[in-house]
């Protein structure tokens, strides 16, 4: 009887030493996360996470859930990861955050020939330039918060067309929508130029409390590897060709087994493009 018990314990020991499988959650947020024509997860964030899965060996399917459902699982269950969550005080307190993997922003765009002159204007003067933004959109809200008074358009497509026709000096839009609108208008990305970022929010991979530190470190190493070998940049250029890419990632955690790295996330630079430092 004793020999049998020892044999069973020997079989179970490797299982106790292995991290539990990671459950991967996401909320639909085009073009970062959405269901494609064959009902499979797609988008920029999905491309990044699937590349990380190849490198980490985590083969769990990406589960698209409502925000309430995904958030409840993330807050109550170990070994869950959700993407992409903003860099907020609440999220840093409640989860281990790795990233950023991208930055959601609202930017004022102009025709390239006007970009340098507009970018050189003081913020208050730039805000008085004729601008357009889709009504009731996050772009309109960010523009108003920054002191702009944009003319409301029925949708993003109309705003882009007004800019291209030189009937507006600035088109204010979320970077999540720019690439899609350019494709719909059959317009190359070089036809517009960013002038000023009005708001920005770094977005992270967020791991629930109790997730095995070895699992999180494996994802961290994989993400750092993507930045180093250019595979992250290739994905970024496909989806956000007008935006500066992430150049460094960091791990923010209250888990004593996960000592925070010294690196800090890179936000869009405050350079000659006229990018503003404001955040929502």
């Amino acid at each position: 009887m004793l020999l049998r018990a020892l044999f069973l314990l020997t079989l179970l020991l490797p299982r106790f030493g292995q991290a539990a499988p990671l459950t991967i959650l996401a909320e639909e947020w085009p073009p970062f996360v959405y269901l494609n024509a064959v009902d499979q997860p797609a988008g920029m964030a999905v491309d990044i996470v699937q590349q990380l899965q190849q490198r980490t060996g985590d083969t769990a399917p990406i589960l698209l859930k409502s925000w309430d459902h995904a958030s409840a699982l993330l807050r109550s269950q170990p070994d869950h990861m959700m993407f992409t969550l903003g860099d907020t005080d609440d999220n840093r307190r409640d989860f281990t955050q790795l990233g950023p993997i991208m930055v959601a922003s609202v930017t004022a765009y102009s025709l390239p020939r006007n970009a340098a002159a507009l970018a050189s204007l003081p913020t208050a003067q730039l805000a008085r330039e004729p601008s357009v933004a889709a009504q009731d959109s996050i772009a309109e809200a960010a523009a108003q918060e920054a002191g702009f008074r944009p003319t409301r358009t029925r949708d993003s497509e109309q705003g882009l067309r007004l800019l291209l026709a030189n009937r507006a000096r600035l088109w204010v839009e979320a970077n999540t929508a720019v690439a899609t609108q350019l494709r719909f208008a059959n317009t190359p990305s070089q036809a517009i130029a960013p002038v000023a970022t009005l708001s920005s929010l770094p977005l992270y991979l967020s791991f629930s409390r109790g997730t095995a530190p070895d699992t999180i470190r494996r994802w961290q190493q994989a993400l750092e590897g993507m930045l180093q070998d250019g595979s992250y940049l290739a994905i970024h250029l496909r989806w956000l060709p007008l935006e500066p890419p992430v150049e460094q990632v960091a791990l923010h955690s209250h888990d004593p087994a996960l000592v925070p790295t010294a690196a800090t996330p890179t936000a869009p630079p405050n350079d000659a493009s006229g990018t503003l430092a404001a955040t929502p």
Side-chain angles (χ1 to χ4, degrees):
M1 184 71 177
L2 178 61
L3 289 176
R4 182 180 179 186
L6 289 173
F7 175 71
L8 291 174
L9 180 61
T10 302
L11 292 178
L12 291 173
L13 279 175
R15 298 183 186 178
F16 293 140
Q18 294 175 354
L22 190 64
T23 298
I24 301 176
L25 307 169
E27 179 191 19
E28 195 163 359
W29 183 15
F32 293 158
V33 182
Y34 62 92
L35 287 175
N36 62 18
V38 291
D39 288 334
Q40 293 299 311
M44 179 179 175
V46 173
D47 285 352
I48 293 170
V49 169
Q50 289 179 337
Q51 175 69 228
L52 290 170
Q53 285 185 286
Q54 292 178 20
R55 295 171 183 241
T56 61
D58 287 290
T59 58
I62 296 171
L63 305 177
L64 266 58
K65 304 285 187 181
S66 69
W67 165 253
D68 289 343
H69 189 184
S71 179
L73 289 172
L74 195 66
R75 293 179 186 280
S76 64
Q77 301 292 328
D79 302 302
H80 281 60
M81 186 273 282
M82 183 176 177
F83 66 98
T84 49
L85 268 66
D87 181 26
T88 66
D89 290 342
D90 286 347
N91 289 339
R92 284 200 182 202
R93 182 191 65 234
D94 294 342
F95 313 120
T96 291
Q97 291 198 286
L98 172 62
I101 62 169
M102 62 186 68
V103 177
S105 64
V106 172
T107 299
Y109 299 89
S110 73
L111 297 177
R113 64 176 179 267
N114 300 327
L118 290 169
S120 68
L121 296 176
T123 302
Q125 187 174 344
L126 180 65
R128 292 195 294 269
E129 292 288 324
S131 61
V132 292
Q135 61 184 1
D136 300 324
S137 66
I138 61 171
E140 182 185 38
Q144 292 172 344
E145 181 70 20
F148 288 65
R149 292 297 177 261
T151 298
R152 308 177 84 195
T153 60
R154 64 176 178 272
D155 53 29
S156 298
E157 180 183 359
Q158 183 185 26
L160 173 59
R161 294 193 181 280
L162 288 172
L163 175 67
L164 295 175
N166 203 26
R167 294 175 59 190
R169 295 271 280 173
L170 296 168
W171 173 47
V172 182
E173 187 52 88
N175 64 348
T176 55
V178 170
T180 300
Q181 293 303 323
L182 288 171
R183 284 197 297 271
F184 284 162
N186 196 26
T187 301
S189 59
Q190 297 86 350
I192 64 174
V195 171
T197 296
L198 309 186
S199 68
S200 64
L201 181 65
L203 299 173
Y204 284 68
L205 307 178
S206 296
F207 297 84
S208 60
R209 288 182 180 269
T211 298
D214 286 349
T215 297
I216 298 173
R217 285 295 188 198
R218 190 169 67 248
W219 280 73
Q220 180 185 16
Q221 292 167 4
L223 182 55
E224 289 170 345
M226 287 184 64
L227 265 64
Q228 292 166 5
D229 65 20
S231 56
Y232 170 84
L233 180 60
I235 294 172
H236 191 278
L237 288 173
R238 285 204 308 271
W239 291 95
L240 299 176
L242 296 174
E243 303 288 323
V246 169
E247 295 180 351
Q248 287 182 308
V249 295
L251 190 65
H252 305 300
S253 178
H254 293 290
D255 187 338
L258 292 166
V259 178
T261 60
T264 55
T266 297
N270 187 359
D271 57 17
S273 68
T275 297
L276 305 180
T279 56

